[in-house]
Amino acid sequence: MRLGVLDIGSNTGHLLVVDAHGGAAPLPAYSYKEPLRLAEHLDEHGDVSPTGIDALTAFTAQALVVAEEKGCEEMLSFATSAVRDAGNSEEVLAHVEAQTGVRIAVLPGEDEARLTFLAVRRWFGWSAGRLAVFDIGGGSLEIAAGSDERPDVAWSLPLGAARLARSEFAAQPDEDQLRQIRRRIRADIARDAGHLLRAGATHRASATSKTFRSLARICGAAPSAEGQLVPRVLPLAELRQWIPKLVAMTPEELAALPGVSPSRTHQIVPGALVAEACMDIFDLPELEVCPWALREGVILERIDKLSVNDPS
């Protein structure tokens, strides 16, 4: 069947149209996305602003048109951290539904981590052994680990690159402020690190989503043009060398780096600090970059349910 997956992230609204059936990898057929930046459209009370609501509503309406034009039988719609944590989350989603007819489900952070883990597990397979997965989004960091398709530990932290850029990097921090930010990030991650560490040794560690892909590209990974099957890693040693350079760069210099979108230059340093902290705290010399992430996890879970209901 042809499915549309509407992903309302903290940075981007993305409709991915895929051809999917049991036993096969989802085949992307079309992609439509817009930079909504919901994590940056929050007022002083933590509510999504009228500008953010209008942008989300307009994008959802257009995504519905695109899904119908591309022949989608079903559209799976979900929102992550920016909407999930907003004080007016229910009002925002009710407004979108009233204007477009699309009911967007809010994914709890644990489910976001679980579904991302499912996608990475399917990508690497059982030979990965006990797998750890890290995903830096716009609003949150998801961590999950386990030896099966369902992780035995999965949690979410408010350490997304856009959220940190807004709260900690509105002005260029000096050296002392940067050290304090780094310390706070590490303390937040380390607080629950025992969940993963106590459960046993990790055989493979993976990173997903745009922030990690950009950092890997900066550190020398192959460009996306070479295809999904090319192995890509983010090495801790190279990332450490890059961070002081990234801190010193202007937005124009950051935008000129390979793999960095001009609209996300302000998120590179916060994302790099979170990535470095994850690798340090969990003693990981490198992370393997997985091209599949949350959207693919949502698709795979839906295909699995369809296969169970219709085994023929």
Side-chain angles (χ1 to χ4, degrees):
M1 68 184 300
R2 177 160 282 195
L3 290 173
V5 181
L6 183 63
D7 175 0
I8 305 302
S10 298
N11 280 310
T12 306
H14 191 170
L15 172 69
L16 181 64
V17 177
V18 297
D19 292 319
H21 63 86
L27 179 66
Y30 190 79
S31 176
Y32 165 65
K33 56 187 175 181
E34 293 288 343
L36 299 179
R37 289 190 167 187
L38 292 180
E40 297 168 37
H41 283 299
L42 300 175
D43 63 22
E44 64 274 16
H45 305 295
D47 292 346
V48 180
S49 69
T51 301
I53 295 172
D54 289 345
L56 173 56
T57 304
F59 172 77
T60 303
Q62 185 57 33
L64 183 60
V65 171
V66 172
E68 291 173 352
E69 289 179 345
K70 298 300 177 183
C72 293
E73 297 177 46
E74 183 178 347
M75 189 162 79
L76 309 174
S77 306
F78 63 90
T80 56
S81 176
V83 174
R84 179 172 69 231
D85 298 338
N88 60 342
S89 175
E90 291 186 9
E91 297 167 35
V92 171
L93 297 178
H95 177 84
V96 172
E97 184 175 17
Q99 295 297 313
T100 68
V102 177
R103 180 62 182 173
I104 299 171
V106 175
L107 271 184
E110 185 176 330
D111 282 353
E112 190 175 344
R114 175 181 62 81
L115 289 165
T116 301
F117 181 90
L118 171 63
V120 178
R121 167 61 75 190
R122 292 280 177 92
W123 180 266
F124 286 120
W126 295 112
S127 64
R130 180 169 174 78
L131 178 67
V133 175
F134 301 86
D135 179 356
I136 301 172
S140 59
L141 163 69
E142 275 68 49
I143 302 173
S147 300
D148 300 317
E149 289 206 331
R150 191 178 185 93
D152 48 50
V153 292
W155 73 98
S156 178
L157 294 165
L159 294 174
R163 185 193 296 265
L164 289 173
R166 181 175 182 268
S167 64
E168 306 286 357
F169 291 83
Q172 180 70 19
D174 61 29
E175 189 174 333
D176 286 341
Q177 290 169 329
L178 193 64
R179 188 179 300 111
Q180 291 171 12
I181 293 167
R182 185 174 182 269
R183 186 183 301 123
R184 285 196 294 271
I185 289 170
R186 287 167 180 258
D188 284 349
I189 296 172
R191 188 173 297 118
D192 293 319
H195 293 334
L196 190 154
L197 296 172
R198 278 193 297 270
T202 296
H203 301 113
R204 199 163 195 165
S206 177
T208 72
S209 298
K210 177 67 173 177
T211 295
F212 275 119
R213 290 198 303 271
S214 296
L215 293 171
R217 184 75 181 93
I218 289 170
C219 292
S224 58
E226 293 190 17
Q228 288 189 334
L229 300 181
V230 175
R232 295 174 176 87
V233 299
L234 174 62
L236 177 57
E238 279 81 352
L239 180 62
R240 277 204 182 113
Q241 292 175 359
W242 265 103
I243 287 176
K245 302 175 191 175
L246 297 174
V247 170
M249 286 183 176
T250 66
E252 293 74 22
E253 290 170 330
L254 288 169
L257 292 172
V260 178
S261 304
S263 63
R264 295 199 186 206
T265 56
H266 61 305
Q267 299 181 28
I268 290 298
V269 171
L273 293 177
V274 173
E276 182 195 31
C278 288
M279 298 168 79
D280 258 346
I281 288 167
F282 295 102
D283 196 22
L284 301 168
E286 66 179 25
L287 292 170
E288 295 183 70
V289 179
C290 179
W292 281 6
L294 177 59
R295 280 185 294 275
E296 287 77 13
V298 170
I299 294 164
L300 290 166
E301 184 172 70
R302 180 61 179 140
I303 294 171
D304 289 349
K305 288 178 179 177
L306 289 171
S307 298
V308 168
N309 292 334
D310 183 15
S312 63

